[in-house]
Amino acid sequence: MEAAELSARAVEVLTAVATGAATRFGEGAGTAVGDLVRTRLGGTERGRAALDQVDADGDSASARSEAEAALREEIAADPELRRQLAVHLSAPSTRVAGSMVISGSRMSRNTISLGPLTVNNSPGNRVPLVLAAVLLLAVLALGLYGGVQIITSGDDPQDAAPQRSSTRALTAAETLKTVPTVDSMPPGWRSSNGPGVSKAERAGGCHSGRADYQNPATHIRAEFVVYACPVPGQASAGYRELVREQYAYTKTTRVPLPRMGDESTALTYYKSEEDTTMANAIVRVGSVVFWLRYGEVDDQPQYEAQLQQLTRGAVGQIQRVLATGDAGDS
């Protein structure tokens, strides 16, 4: 596969992962390609600028074109990168539903194939054929909603232990647990609002949590917002919209913080009407989106370390809540 084709397909996967459409390419391959492209482009100034454009507007032809051009340079200079991308992009399409993996499923007039299982379309097998088709549709539908895991341990039902998924939907009570408290803030910070949570206003909506803190010594404020959505794809779309909104301000500049969660962006923007510069960190962890507004940072040359510390702590708390669960309301 030529460098131009590799870069074009890789950037297509990158934007699909960002919009939650990675199942079109296979979840495993899509995530691997997206991570590989982000890691490589994030190592150069041109690559970081291209990622900024893709994160701000992944549907923009010019943004994708610039990302492809930057990636072509990296592919031309690194045969190993070319090999890894070729391997992932040549992988057969795979869909994941819970703990079940369906690969190469297909239906035809004579047979139906569900992974390794093939049923001939003969009169005696027509009922199993129909049942297999129904099963295929049911499993694919479950895959769109995160799948179903059935875990047993021994013969006693009490031995069965639920396994929490990092992509599951959080309840409103769990969403509140993800919001940083004043005790989790560095010394000197005081609460000015919250923490609090608002339930989703409609079915299929996202719960939202918020807390605001201020440091009297520096007059810096930190505003934390968490959106807990039903599915990762919805959270990913919300993440991209938040990033796009921040790029609507003037003098928006990317902040080189380490990547966190499934998707992350850090940036500053200047608000001319207030003559202030705000730092932002936006992170998606599974079905949860975290947003930190930190500022003003005009006279704070060391703000990046504090932004990273607060973001990393909040993301870690979200991951713990996703992993452990809570028996709260929905």
Side-chain angles (χ1 to χ4, degrees):
M1 199 178 299
E2 296 298 324
E5 183 180 0
L6 274 176
S7 62
R9 292 187 59 188
V11 170
E12 182 183 7
V13 174
L14 175 68
T15 56
V17 171
T19 58
T23 50
R24 172 182 173 188
F25 306 95
E27 285 187 353
T31 301
V33 171
D35 288 345
L36 189 59
V37 172
R38 283 191 176 276
T39 298
R40 181 51 62 99
L41 292 185
T44 67
E45 184 174 349
R46 181 184 185 184
R48 287 191 294 270
L51 285 175
D52 285 345
Q53 294 181 45
V54 170
D55 287 337
D57 187 3
D59 296 327
S60 167
S62 61
R64 292 196 302 269
S65 177
E66 178 58 25
E68 290 173 16
L71 186 58
R72 277 199 304 273
E73 289 186 357
E74 299 298 317
I75 292 172
D78 188 349
E80 178 59 19
L81 174 62
R82 177 195 291 265
R83 185 193 68 80
Q84 292 182 26
L85 287 174
V87 169
H88 289 307
L89 292 171
S90 300
S93 178
T94 302
R95 299 186 71 110
V96 179
S99 59
M100 300 180 64
V101 179
I102 305 171
S103 180
S105 303
R106 62 188 184 276
M107 297 179 64
S108 69
R109 179 176 298 179
N110 298 319
T111 63
I112 177 172
S113 296
L114 179 61
L117 173 65
T118 300
V119 180
N120 293 323
N121 187 7
S122 63
N125 287 333
R126 196 149 291 155
V127 172
L129 176 64
V130 173
L131 291 176
V134 172
L135 175 62
L136 171 61
L137 294 176
V139 171
L140 291 179
L142 287 172
L144 294 176
Y145 289 93
V148 175
Q149 293 180 321
I150 302 175
I151 302 172
T152 60
S153 175
D155 298 328
D156 190 343
Q158 295 182 352
D159 291 336
Q163 181 177 351
R164 297 291 181 174
S165 167
S166 62
T167 61
R168 69 188 181 88
L170 296 182
T171 66
E174 289 175 317
T175 302
L176 180 60
K177 287 178 176 289
T178 67
V179 181
T181 64
V182 69
D183 293 334
S184 67
M185 297 292 290
W189 287 80
R190 297 178 183 175
S191 174
S192 56
N193 180 37
V197 66
S198 298
K199 286 187 177 182
E201 296 181 354
R202 56 180 177 78
C206 304
H207 303 309
S208 61
R210 184 184 179 106
D212 299 340
Y213 301 97
Q214 187 170 28
N215 189 326
T218 61
H219 303 289
I220 292 288
R221 67 182 188 271
E223 303 169 357
F224 298 89
V225 181
V226 175
Y227 298 99
C229 301
V231 293
Q234 185 177 352
S236 184
Y239 163 87
R240 294 187 66 214
E241 182 58 30
L242 273 177
V243 173
R244 185 180 292 112
E245 288 175 0
Q246 311 321 307
Y247 274 89
Y249 293 102
T250 58
K251 299 182 182 178
T252 301
T253 305
R254 186 182 179 92
V255 177
L257 293 186
R259 183 179 177 188
M260 303 179 196
D262 298 299
E263 300 177 272
S264 62
T265 296
L267 52 86
T268 62
Y269 62 70
Y270 175 74
K271 297 183 72 173
S272 57
E273 64 273 20
E274 299 177 7
D275 191 27
T276 59
T277 300
M278 297 294 295
N280 292 255
I282 306 171
V283 182
R284 180 179 68 85
V285 183
S287 57
V288 179
V289 177
F290 163 76
W291 179 21
L292 167 61
R293 295 180 70 246
Y294 181 89
E296 292 88 12
V297 298
D298 304 82
D299 57 351
Q300 299 290 325
Q302 304 299 321
Y303 74 88
E304 291 182 8
Q306 183 93 97
L307 184 70
Q308 179 176 337
Q309 177 187 0
L310 294 178
T311 302
R312 190 177 298 281
V315 169
Q317 177 63 13
I318 292 171
Q319 292 171 331
R320 285 189 291 273
V321 173
L322 284 167
T324 59
D326 181 77
D329 61 351
S330 60

